[in-house]
Amino acid sequence: MLWNALSRASSLGRGVGGRLAGASGRHTLVGSRRLVSQLVEPRQPEVVTDEIPGPQSKAALSRLGLLQDTRAVVFAGDYQKSVGNYIVDADGNCLLDLYCQIASIPVGYNNAALLKAAQSPEMALTLANRPALGVYPPKDWSATLEHAYMRVKPKGLDMVFTTAHGSDANELAYKAAFMHYAKTQRGGAEGFSTQELSSVMDNVPPGAPDVAILSFTAGFHGRTFGALSTTRSKAIHKLDIPAFRWPRAPFPQLRYPLDKYSEENAAEERRCIAETERILHDNPMPIAAVIVEPVQSEGGDRHASPQFFQALRSITKEHGVLMIVDEVQTGCGATGTFWAHEQWGLETPPDMVTFSKKMQTAGFYHTREMVPDQPYRNFNTWLGDPSRALMTSAIVDEVLGRGLVEQARDTGAYLKSHLEPLAIRYFRVFNSVRGEGTFLAFDCTSAELRTELLQLMRMEGVNMGGSGDVAVRFRPMLTLTKAHVNIFITRFESVLNKLYQKHWPR
């Protein structure tokens, strides 16, 4: 009866808003009677205004500004017209999108497979009946988890904790680490002392112990309260917010090209590992876990070698400290492997791996050892969202079925092979090309020049974003092809020539 009701609802939707369809690409946006006919990715960008944001974007942002803070907004998007690797704004400007909602769009705007999943009876059911997953999960929730998450689980991690967003994933991973540490300190004994039960209500030890998470200089792990205490990328992210007095270790600052500075970079990584081990040994507050990004994606796209991460894993094991790998931005294939840490060649896997962004959902993978000794401890009402898990299932189907991890690896190598000679030719503008897959970046020679470059690129029809103080990062969809790279390179070289003519005229 329920499925018949859903079918009747779909029929009503067709009568009001027009024909619904699945993989063909014809669809109706939820809450709108306006039809979006089958969308075809354009052959190239098109800019129709004299500036971006244009007048329609500015008008939309003026209205929005009465309700929300819009000072960080670049332009207002038109998501009925955006398709594939192209984003369309409110003025009709069509831009090749190499930033993709801060690295969070995996397989293109208005992807037919995702639209089909969004319009399915299963999706309607989850949206109309969102369950409290920790107490009343759907009868087939285990099958959903298997299909959405466990097909791509990191090696050695057989369980998944689902959450709402990347900051939330890290926050709850920290809680798991602290509970594991406390259980270890108790020698595995179950139950809590009377003193622990009373002191925790006053936020003091022993019930609320002084224990830390160690993070790295320039790392970013989110903006919720605990995650923010491990974020070290920009002061503006942290100002005015009370923070835990947790330590930070230095992250390597490598020089490029890598083959030219191999000895210096190796020495820099040894220095950072030695200081990290000193902190693990000498820090007055016990450390439950170390969290690290494969690439410091908000801190300037800073990288380290597999040898650095192997050494980090070794010293965490030696000191009995958990290792959390934050793959919120690097996960889901953009680096040329589904998980960036696969490239490290670790002898033992991390204890937890957090994810979000391109997975379009969030959480962390873990071993059974990370499960608290009692229920309701690492817990909230929703514990994720079945509707987002259905979208993740469709995303994983697309990524695996279309070989998009391999495509990102090949397309990224092609892009990098074009960027490196341009960095030599236009050295006054940018340098230090780096990264794997399409997860690439370069540094501009000043913050002011980066701002100018990004704006000029938008006027050439390419949307890009910055990272850290001077870096420009590539965060395209996994569907980026060599043809898209050719379009980008042509426009990028045009902008480079404009900058040279303006700042260094002959």
Side-chain angles (χ1 to χ4, degrees):
M1 294 180 63
L2 177 59
W3 298 114
N4 291 336
L6 288 170
S7 298
R8 288 196 298 273
S10 295
S11 298
L12 288 172
R14 284 192 287 270
V16 172
R19 188 169 67 87
L20 291 172
S24 68
R26 299 182 183 276
H27 59 284
T28 304
L29 291 184
V30 175
S32 172
R33 294 185 180 182
R34 293 176 297 170
L35 286 174
V36 180
S37 60
Q38 185 170 354
L39 295 171
V40 177
E41 184 173 285
R43 293 184 177 181
Q44 61 183 7
E46 183 180 15
V47 176
V48 297
T49 57
D50 293 332
E51 61 179 354
I52 297 176
Q56 295 301 318
S57 267
K58 288 180 178 178
L61 299 180
S62 179
R63 295 189 295 272
L64 181 59
L66 300 174
L67 306 173
Q68 293 185 332
D69 183 358
T70 62
R71 288 173 294 177
V73 174
V74 177
F75 54 76
D78 186 338
Y79 296 106
Q80 287 187 296
K81 296 179 180 178
S82 300
V83 58
N85 291 272
Y86 286 84
I87 186 170
V88 177
D89 72 5
D91 292 278
N93 295 306
C94 179
L95 285 74
L96 177 63
D97 196 353
L98 301 183
Y99 196 43
C100 299
Q101 311 295 328
I102 321 179
S104 64
I105 302 293
V107 291
Y109 293 108
N110 285 304
N111 175 278
L114 270 59
L115 289 172
K116 183 178 180 180
Q119 296 165 355
S120 68
E122 294 85 356
M123 182 65 74
L125 195 65
T126 63
L127 291 173
N129 305 280
R130 185 178 182 181
L133 290 169
V135 286
Y136 305 110
K139 63 182 181 180
D140 57 352
W141 183 231
S142 61
T144 301
L145 293 176
E146 288 284 352
H147 198 259
Y149 305 109
M150 305 316 289
R151 287 186 293 163
V152 293
K153 65 181 180 181
K155 182 180 179 181
L157 305 181
D158 295 327
M159 300 186 74
V160 65
F161 191 110
T162 51
T163 67
H165 49 77
S167 299
D168 192 32
N170 286 330
E171 191 93 10
L172 289 162
Y174 297 172
K175 288 181 65 179
F178 289 136
M179 293 175 196
H180 179 268
Y181 173 85
K183 183 178 179 179
T184 301
Q185 294 299 110
R186 296 187 188 102
E190 295 184 2
F192 312 100
S193 69
T194 302
Q195 189 178 13
E196 287 174 326
L197 293 170
S198 61
S199 63
V200 74
M201 303 310 292
D202 292 319
N203 297 335
V204 298
D210 292 324
V211 188
I213 303 290
L214 174 62
S215 58
F216 288 87
T217 298
F220 181 90
H221 303 291
R223 300 173 190 262
T224 53
F225 199 74
L228 195 60
S229 288
T230 55
T231 287
R232 314 283 186 171
S233 50
K234 291 182 179 179
I236 196 63
H237 297 154
K238 297 168 66 72
L239 283 168
D240 300 330
I241 312 300
F244 295 111
R245 303 301 194 262
W246 293 348
R248 65 174 173 177
F251 193 84
Q253 182 65 63
L254 302 186
R255 301 178 66 185
Y256 298 88
L258 294 175
D259 55 357
K260 181 178 179 179
Y261 296 102
S262 58
E263 292 185 7
E264 293 91 335
N265 288 339
E268 167 71 354
E269 291 191 338
R270 288 194 298 270
R271 179 188 71 83
C272 292
I273 286 293
E275 178 61 13
T276 302
E277 185 162 28
R278 186 197 65 78
I279 295 170
L280 292 176
H281 186 269
D282 296 340
N283 194 67
M285 186 184 297
I287 295 171
V290 171
I291 187 166
V292 66
E293 300 163 274
V295 180
Q296 291 191 320
S297 307
E298 298 295 330
D301 266 52
R302 296 171 60 173
H303 292 250
S305 72
Q307 291 73 29
F308 171 82
F309 293 107
Q310 291 167 12
L312 181 62
R313 184 55 176 145
S314 178
I315 62 174
T316 57
K317 292 289 285 185
E318 289 174 10
H319 289 269
V321 172
L322 300 178
M323 182 175 179
I324 305 170
V325 178
D326 180 346
E327 292 243 30
V328 166
Q329 195 158 151
T330 53
C332 200
T335 65
T337 51
F338 200 93
W339 303 107
H341 78 269
E342 294 175 36
Q343 301 172 33
W344 298 347
L346 299 181
E347 291 185 2
T348 56
D351 297 287
M352 288 177 271
V353 174
T354 62
F355 62 88
S356 188
K357 294 283 190 180
K358 278 184 169 62
M359 293 288 278
Q360 290 283 302
T361 181
F364 63 92
Y365 293 95
H366 60 93
T367 63
R368 188 164 295 278
E369 290 181 353
M370 296 301 110
V371 177
D373 52 3
Q374 293 188 27
Y376 287 104
R377 300 197 66 201
N378 219 357
F379 190 85
N380 56 57
T381 298
W382 301 125
L383 288 176
D385 186 343
S387 65
R388 299 315 311 172
L390 291 176
M391 296 306 294
T392 300
S393 291
I395 289 165
V396 172
D397 282 344
E398 284 282 276
V399 172
L400 299 183
R402 294 172 58 183
L404 294 182
V405 175
E406 295 77 12
Q407 180 171 318
R409 183 165 60 244
D410 295 342
T411 303
Y414 182 72
L415 172 57
K416 195 174 183 181
S417 73
H418 284 73
L419 289 172
E420 288 175 331
L422 289 176
I424 296 172
R425 182 178 174 186
Y426 295 98
F427 64 92
R428 289 188 174 93
V429 177
F430 78 106
N431 54 57
S432 302
V433 175
R434 56 196 182 273
E436 300 294 335
T438 55
F439 206 92
L440 303 177
F442 59 76
D443 288 340
C444 288
T445 52
S446 72
E448 295 76 17
L449 203 58
R450 180 181 68 177
T451 299
E452 191 174 359
L453 182 146
L454 292 176
Q455 182 58 35
L456 286 172
M457 287 303 298
R458 278 193 285 274
M459 295 309 299
E460 287 281 345
V462 180
N463 186 46
M464 303 181 72
S467 171
D469 295 328
V470 295
V472 172
R473 53 179 160 172
F474 292 84
R475 296 296 183 269
M477 300 160 201
L478 302 176
T479 52
L480 191 79
T481 67
K482 293 178 182 178
H484 296 119
V485 171
N486 292 338
I487 290 169
F488 160 73
I489 290 296
T490 299
R491 285 157 176 74
F492 185 49
E493 198 161 0
S494 172
V495 165
L496 293 172
N497 285 321
K498 289 177 182 178
L499 290 171
Y500 260 67
Q501 291 168 11
K502 177 181 178 181
H503 295 285
W504 303 281
R506 292 183 178 180

